[in-house]
Amino acid sequence: MNESTAVTLVTALSGARKAHSLYPAAHPEHRSALGGLLASVGEAAAAGPFTLNLHLGRLYHDSRVLPVETPGMRSMAECFEAHRIESLTFHGSVGEADAIALIEVLALKPSAELDIAAELESRGVADITAQRLQDPDAEAAQEREE
């Protein structure tokens, strides 16, 4: 899998988030952005699960850092950080309902209680999984307890 596939996916995800915030679901721009997201996810996950990771404020695919100057890259890294997402994995053929649910979940107001993985699961999304970023303070407290 090459870097351009990951870049295309991140750009499409960013575009779909933006279209969701600006246009109603039936608007041509919204439909076009959703179609672009579905196409890029389909291409990325064609050979197997495709994972985007966040580490130290940067997005990665495999162990390669994605170029920050790409349109949408910084906003998606900030979105992952704000929503406490360590990784998003796309499995197989992500359908339109799953893509819409992902965009809606990413549009939710970030909070300490918001668990993106649980939100996706509650909406019946099976082909997209999220790993939550661990809170280092909570981790240290748990270690002290043990």
Side-chain angles (χ1 to χ4, degrees), residues 42-86:
E43 181 184 337
F50 186 90
T51 302
L52 292 172
N53 299 297
L54 177 73
H55 181 67
L56 300 175
R58 301 284 304 268
L59 287 175
Y60 289 76
H61 170 63
D62 290 334
S63 59
R64 287 182 294 240
V65 66
L66 300 177
V68 72
E69 65 278 356
T70 303
M73 195 66 64
R74 183 169 282 121
S75 72
M76 286 312 304
E78 289 168 359
C79 175
F80 272 47
E81 202 138 25
H83 286 90
R84 313 254 338 118
I85 300 170
E86 181 176 19

Short mmCIF file of all heavy atoms in Angstrom, two decimals, residues 42-86:
data_model
loop_
_atom_site.label_atom_id
_atom_site.label_comp_id
_atom_site.label_asym_id
_atom_site.label_seq_id
_atom_site.Cartn_x
_atom_site.Cartn_y
_atom_site.Cartn_z
N GLY A 42 -12.70 2.31 -0.21
CA GLY A 42 -12.74 1.07 -0.98
C GLY A 42 -11.38 0.71 -1.55
O GLY A 42 -10.94 -0.44 -1.49
N GLU A 43 -10.70 1.71 -2.08
CA GLU A 43 -9.36 1.49 -2.64
C GLU A 43 -8.36 1.13 -1.53
O GLU A 43 -7.57 0.20 -1.67
CB GLU A 43 -8.88 2.73 -3.39
CG GLU A 43 -7.51 2.55 -4.01
CD GLU A 43 -6.99 3.83 -4.67
OE1 GLU A 43 -7.79 4.71 -5.03
OE2 GLU A 43 -5.76 3.92 -4.83
N ALA A 44 -8.42 1.86 -0.43
CA ALA A 44 -7.45 1.65 0.65
C ALA A 44 -7.62 0.28 1.30
O ALA A 44 -6.63 -0.38 1.63
CB ALA A 44 -7.60 2.76 1.70
N ALA A 45 -8.87 -0.15 1.49
CA ALA A 45 -9.12 -1.40 2.21
C ALA A 45 -9.30 -2.60 1.28
O ALA A 45 -9.64 -3.69 1.75
CB ALA A 45 -10.35 -1.23 3.10
N ALA A 46 -9.05 -2.42 0.00
CA ALA A 46 -9.25 -3.52 -0.96
C ALA A 46 -8.36 -4.72 -0.65
O ALA A 46 -8.77 -5.87 -0.82
CB ALA A 46 -9.00 -3.03 -2.38
N ALA A 47 -7.16 -4.48 -0.19
CA ALA A 47 -6.20 -5.57 0.07
C ALA A 47 -6.23 -6.05 1.52
O ALA A 47 -5.42 -6.89 1.89
CB ALA A 47 -4.80 -5.12 -0.32
N GLY A 48 -7.11 -5.50 2.32
CA GLY A 48 -7.17 -5.89 3.73
C GLY A 48 -7.39 -4.67 4.60
O GLY A 48 -7.49 -3.55 4.09
N PRO A 49 -7.47 -4.87 5.91
CA PRO A 49 -7.72 -3.74 6.81
C PRO A 49 -6.69 -2.62 6.61
O PRO A 49 -5.52 -2.87 6.40
CB PRO A 49 -7.57 -4.35 8.21
CG PRO A 49 -7.86 -5.80 8.00
CD PRO A 49 -7.34 -6.13 6.63
N PHE A 50 -7.18 -1.39 6.67
CA PHE A 50 -6.36 -0.20 6.44
C PHE A 50 -6.47 0.68 7.67
O PHE A 50 -7.55 1.09 8.05
CB PHE A 50 -6.86 0.54 5.20
CG PHE A 50 -5.99 1.69 4.80
CD1 PHE A 50 -4.95 1.51 3.92
CD2 PHE A 50 -6.22 2.96 5.31
CE1 PHE A 50 -4.13 2.56 3.55
CE2 PHE A 50 -5.41 4.03 4.94
CZ PHE A 50 -4.37 3.83 4.06
N THR A 51 -5.34 0.97 8.30
CA THR A 51 -5.35 1.71 9.57
C THR A 51 -4.61 3.03 9.46
O THR A 51 -3.51 3.10 8.93
CB THR A 51 -4.70 0.86 10.69
OG1 THR A 51 -5.41 -0.37 10.80
CG2 THR A 51 -4.74 1.58 12.02
N LEU A 52 -5.25 4.08 10.00
CA LEU A 52 -4.62 5.38 10.19
C LEU A 52 -4.35 5.51 11.68
O LEU A 52 -5.24 5.24 12.50
CB LEU A 52 -5.55 6.51 9.74
CG LEU A 52 -5.84 6.60 8.26
CD1 LEU A 52 -6.94 7.65 8.00
CD2 LEU A 52 -4.58 6.97 7.50
N ASN A 53 -3.13 5.91 12.05
CA ASN A 53 -2.75 6.06 13.45
C ASN A 53 -2.38 7.51 13.74
O ASN A 53 -1.84 8.18 12.88
CB ASN A 53 -1.52 5.21 13.78
CG ASN A 53 -1.77 3.75 13.57
OD1 ASN A 53 -2.61 3.17 14.23
ND2 ASN A 53 -1.06 3.17 12.63
N LEU A 54 -2.61 7.91 14.98
CA LEU A 54 -2.17 9.21 15.46
C LEU A 54 -1.06 8.98 16.47
O LEU A 54 -1.19 8.16 17.39
CB LEU A 54 -3.32 9.95 16.14
CG LEU A 54 -2.95 11.31 16.75
CD1 LEU A 54 -2.75 12.33 15.64
CD2 LEU A 54 -4.04 11.77 17.70
N HIS A 55 0.06 9.68 16.29
CA HIS A 55 1.16 9.62 17.25
C HIS A 55 1.81 10.99 17.32
O HIS A 55 2.25 11.52 16.30
CB HIS A 55 2.17 8.55 16.85
CG HIS A 55 3.30 8.41 17.82
ND1 HIS A 55 3.13 7.93 19.10
CD2 HIS A 55 4.61 8.73 17.71
CE1 HIS A 55 4.29 7.94 19.72
NE2 HIS A 55 5.22 8.43 18.91
N LEU A 56 1.85 11.55 18.51
CA LEU A 56 2.46 12.86 18.74
C LEU A 56 1.95 13.93 17.77
O LEU A 56 2.72 14.71 17.22
CB LEU A 56 3.99 12.77 18.67
CG LEU A 56 4.64 11.82 19.69
CD1 LEU A 56 6.14 11.73 19.45
CD2 LEU A 56 4.35 12.28 21.11
N GLY A 57 0.64 13.92 17.55
CA GLY A 57 0.02 14.95 16.72
C GLY A 57 0.14 14.77 15.22
O GLY A 57 -0.25 15.64 14.46
N ARG A 58 0.69 13.64 14.78
CA ARG A 58 0.85 13.37 13.34
C ARG A 58 0.12 12.09 12.97
O ARG A 58 0.05 11.15 13.77
CB ARG A 58 2.34 13.18 12.99
CG ARG A 58 3.26 14.35 13.29
CD ARG A 58 3.17 15.52 12.34
NE ARG A 58 3.39 15.21 10.95
CZ ARG A 58 4.56 15.27 10.32
NH1 ARG A 58 5.65 15.60 10.97
NH2 ARG A 58 4.64 15.00 9.03
N LEU A 59 -0.40 12.05 11.75
CA LEU A 59 -1.06 10.85 11.26
C LEU A 59 -0.05 9.96 10.54
O LEU A 59 0.82 10.44 9.83
CB LEU A 59 -2.20 11.20 10.30
CG LEU A 59 -3.44 11.79 10.96
CD1 LEU A 59 -4.45 12.20 9.91
CD2 LEU A 59 -4.07 10.80 11.93
N TYR A 60 -0.23 8.65 10.73
CA TYR A 60 0.64 7.64 10.13
C TYR A 60 -0.22 6.57 9.46
O TYR A 60 -1.34 6.31 9.88
CB TYR A 60 1.46 6.92 11.21
CG TYR A 60 2.54 7.73 11.85
CD1 TYR A 60 2.24 8.71 12.79
CD2 TYR A 60 3.87 7.51 11.52
CE1 TYR A 60 3.24 9.45 13.38
CE2 TYR A 60 4.88 8.25 12.12
CZ TYR A 60 4.56 9.22 13.05
OH TYR A 60 5.55 9.95 13.63
N HIS A 61 0.36 5.94 8.46
CA HIS A 61 -0.17 4.69 7.93
C HIS A 61 1.01 3.73 7.92
O HIS A 61 2.09 4.07 7.43
CB HIS A 61 -0.73 4.84 6.52
CG HIS A 61 -1.04 3.51 5.90
ND1 HIS A 61 -1.98 2.66 6.43
CD2 HIS A 61 -0.51 2.88 4.85
CE1 HIS A 61 -2.01 1.56 5.70
NE2 HIS A 61 -1.12 1.66 4.73
N ASP A 62 0.80 2.52 8.44
CA ASP A 62 1.90 1.60 8.71
C ASP A 62 2.87 2.37 9.62
O ASP A 62 2.45 2.95 10.60
CB ASP A 62 2.57 1.10 7.42
CG ASP A 62 1.66 0.16 6.64
OD1 ASP A 62 0.78 -0.47 7.27
OD2 ASP A 62 1.82 0.06 5.41
N SER A 63 4.12 2.43 9.28
CA SER A 63 5.04 3.19 10.14
C SER A 63 5.48 4.48 9.47
O SER A 63 6.42 5.13 9.90
CB SER A 63 6.25 2.33 10.50
OG SER A 63 6.90 1.94 9.31
N ARG A 64 4.79 4.86 8.40
CA ARG A 64 5.16 6.07 7.66
C ARG A 64 4.29 7.26 8.07
O ARG A 64 3.07 7.18 8.06
CB ARG A 64 5.01 5.83 6.16
CG ARG A 64 6.08 4.93 5.59
CD ARG A 64 5.88 4.79 4.11
NE ARG A 64 4.63 4.07 3.90
CZ ARG A 64 4.54 2.92 3.26
NH1 ARG A 64 5.59 2.36 2.74
NH2 ARG A 64 3.38 2.31 3.11
N VAL A 65 4.97 8.36 8.39
CA VAL A 65 4.27 9.59 8.72
C VAL A 65 3.70 10.17 7.42
O VAL A 65 4.34 10.13 6.37
CB VAL A 65 5.20 10.59 9.44
CG1 VAL A 65 6.30 11.09 8.54
CG2 VAL A 65 4.41 11.75 10.00
N LEU A 66 2.47 10.68 7.51
CA LEU A 66 1.84 11.28 6.33
C LEU A 66 2.19 12.76 6.27
O LEU A 66 2.28 13.43 7.30
CB LEU A 66 0.32 11.06 6.38
CG LEU A 66 -0.10 9.59 6.41
CD1 LEU A 66 -1.61 9.46 6.52
CD2 LEU A 66 0.40 8.85 5.17
N PRO A 67 2.38 13.29 5.06
CA PRO A 67 2.82 14.69 4.92
C PRO A 67 1.80 15.69 5.47
O PRO A 67 0.65 15.70 5.07
CB PRO A 67 3.01 14.87 3.41
CG PRO A 67 2.28 13.74 2.77
CD PRO A 67 2.16 12.64 3.78
N VAL A 68 2.26 16.51 6.40
CA VAL A 68 1.37 17.44 7.09
C VAL A 68 0.86 18.55 6.16
O VAL A 68 -0.19 19.13 6.41
CB VAL A 68 2.06 18.02 8.35
CG1 VAL A 68 3.14 19.00 7.97
CG2 VAL A 68 1.07 18.64 9.29
N GLU A 69 1.60 18.83 5.08
CA GLU A 69 1.18 19.93 4.19
C GLU A 69 0.03 19.54 3.25
O GLU A 69 -0.51 20.37 2.55
CB GLU A 69 2.38 20.45 3.37
CG GLU A 69 2.98 19.47 2.39
CD GLU A 69 3.96 18.49 3.03
OE1 GLU A 69 4.26 18.59 4.22
OE2 GLU A 69 4.42 17.58 2.32
N THR A 70 -0.37 18.27 3.25
CA THR A 70 -1.48 17.82 2.43
C THR A 70 -2.78 18.44 2.92
O THR A 70 -3.01 18.50 4.14
CB THR A 70 -1.59 16.28 2.51
OG1 THR A 70 -0.35 15.72 2.11
CG2 THR A 70 -2.70 15.75 1.64
N PRO A 71 -3.66 18.88 2.01
CA PRO A 71 -4.94 19.46 2.44
C PRO A 71 -5.72 18.48 3.32
O PRO A 71 -5.86 17.31 2.99
CB PRO A 71 -5.69 19.70 1.13
CG PRO A 71 -4.61 19.82 0.09
CD PRO A 71 -3.50 18.91 0.56
N GLY A 72 -6.18 18.98 4.44
CA GLY A 72 -6.99 18.17 5.35
C GLY A 72 -6.19 17.37 6.36
O GLY A 72 -6.76 16.86 7.33
N MET A 73 -4.89 17.23 6.17
CA MET A 73 -4.09 16.38 7.06
C MET A 73 -4.06 16.94 8.48
O MET A 73 -4.29 16.21 9.44
CB MET A 73 -2.67 16.24 6.50
CG MET A 73 -1.88 15.14 7.13
SD MET A 73 -2.50 13.47 6.81
CE MET A 73 -2.29 13.33 5.03
N ARG A 74 -3.78 18.22 8.61
CA ARG A 74 -3.69 18.83 9.94
C ARG A 74 -5.06 18.79 10.63
O ARG A 74 -5.15 18.46 11.81
CB ARG A 74 -3.18 20.27 9.83
CG ARG A 74 -3.00 20.92 11.20
CD ARG A 74 -2.25 22.24 11.14
NE ARG A 74 -0.82 21.96 11.00
CZ ARG A 74 -0.07 22.39 9.99
NH1 ARG A 74 -0.59 23.11 9.03
NH2 ARG A 74 1.21 22.10 9.93
N SER A 75 -6.13 19.10 9.90
CA SER A 75 -7.45 19.11 10.53
C SER A 75 -7.87 17.71 10.98
O SER A 75 -8.50 17.55 12.03
CB SER A 75 -8.51 19.71 9.60
OG SER A 75 -8.82 18.84 8.54
N MET A 76 -7.47 16.66 10.23
CA MET A 76 -7.81 15.30 10.65
C MET A 76 -6.97 14.88 11.85
O MET A 76 -7.48 14.21 12.75
CB MET A 76 -7.64 14.31 9.49
CG MET A 76 -8.74 14.40 8.44
SD MET A 76 -10.44 14.43 9.09
CE MET A 76 -10.50 12.96 10.07
N ALA A 77 -5.71 15.28 11.89
CA ALA A 77 -4.88 14.97 13.06
C ALA A 77 -5.47 15.65 14.30
O ALA A 77 -5.56 15.03 15.37
CB ALA A 77 -3.44 15.41 12.83
N GLU A 78 -5.92 16.89 14.14
CA GLU A 78 -6.53 17.61 15.26
C GLU A 78 -7.84 16.96 15.67
O GLU A 78 -8.17 16.89 16.86
CB GLU A 78 -6.75 19.08 14.88
CG GLU A 78 -5.46 19.86 14.79
CD GLU A 78 -5.61 21.24 14.14
OE1 GLU A 78 -6.75 21.61 13.73
OE2 GLU A 78 -4.60 21.95 14.03
N CYS A 79 -8.60 16.47 14.69
CA CYS A 79 -9.86 15.78 14.98
C CYS A 79 -9.60 14.50 15.77
O CYS A 79 -10.26 14.22 16.76
CB CYS A 79 -10.58 15.46 13.67
SG CYS A 79 -12.08 14.47 13.87
N PHE A 80 -8.61 13.72 15.33
CA PHE A 80 -8.25 12.49 16.04
C PHE A 80 -7.86 12.84 17.48
O PHE A 80 -8.31 12.19 18.42
CB PHE A 80 -7.05 11.79 15.36
CG PHE A 80 -7.41 10.82 14.26
CD1 PHE A 80 -8.32 11.15 13.27
CD2 PHE A 80 -6.80 9.58 14.20
CE1 PHE A 80 -8.62 10.26 12.26
CE2 PHE A 80 -7.09 8.68 13.20
CZ PHE A 80 -8.01 9.02 12.21
N GLU A 81 -7.04 13.87 17.63
CA GLU A 81 -6.57 14.26 18.96
C GLU A 81 -7.73 14.72 19.84
O GLU A 81 -7.85 14.29 20.99
CB GLU A 81 -5.52 15.36 18.83
CG GLU A 81 -4.63 15.46 20.03
CD GLU A 81 -3.18 15.67 19.64
OE1 GLU A 81 -2.89 16.19 18.55
OE2 GLU A 81 -2.35 15.31 20.47
N ALA A 82 -8.58 15.59 19.31
CA ALA A 82 -9.70 16.12 20.08
C ALA A 82 -10.67 15.02 20.52
O ALA A 82 -11.23 15.07 21.62
CB ALA A 82 -10.44 17.18 19.27
N HIS A 83 -10.86 14.03 19.64
CA HIS A 83 -11.79 12.94 19.93
C HIS A 83 -11.10 11.75 20.61
O HIS A 83 -11.71 10.70 20.79
CB HIS A 83 -12.48 12.47 18.65
CG HIS A 83 -13.52 13.43 18.17
ND1 HIS A 83 -13.22 14.45 17.29
CD2 HIS A 83 -14.83 13.54 18.45
CE1 HIS A 83 -14.33 15.14 17.06
NE2 HIS A 83 -15.31 14.61 17.75
N ARG A 84 -9.80 11.91 20.94
CA ARG A 84 -9.03 10.88 21.64
C ARG A 84 -9.00 9.58 20.84
O ARG A 84 -9.16 8.49 21.38
CB ARG A 84 -9.58 10.63 23.05
CG ARG A 84 -9.84 11.88 23.85
CD ARG A 84 -8.93 12.25 24.98
NE ARG A 84 -8.12 11.23 25.58
CZ ARG A 84 -6.78 11.26 25.57
NH1 ARG A 84 -6.15 12.24 24.98
NH2 ARG A 84 -6.08 10.34 26.16
N ILE A 85 -8.77 9.70 19.52
CA ILE A 85 -8.68 8.54 18.64
C ILE A 85 -7.21 8.23 18.39
O ILE A 85 -6.48 9.06 17.88
CB ILE A 85 -9.37 8.80 17.28
CG1 ILE A 85 -10.85 9.11 17.48
CG2 ILE A 85 -9.19 7.61 16.34
CD1 ILE A 85 -11.54 9.62 16.22
N GLU A 86 -6.79 7.03 18.77
CA GLU A 86 -5.43 6.60 18.50
C GLU A 86 -5.33 6.04 17.08
O GLU A 86 -4.35 6.27 16.37
CB GLU A 86 -4.98 5.54 19.49
CG GLU A 86 -3.57 5.08 19.26
CD GLU A 86 -3.08 4.09 20.30
OE1 GLU A 86 -3.91 3.47 21.00
OE2 GLU A 86 -1.86 3.95 20.42
#
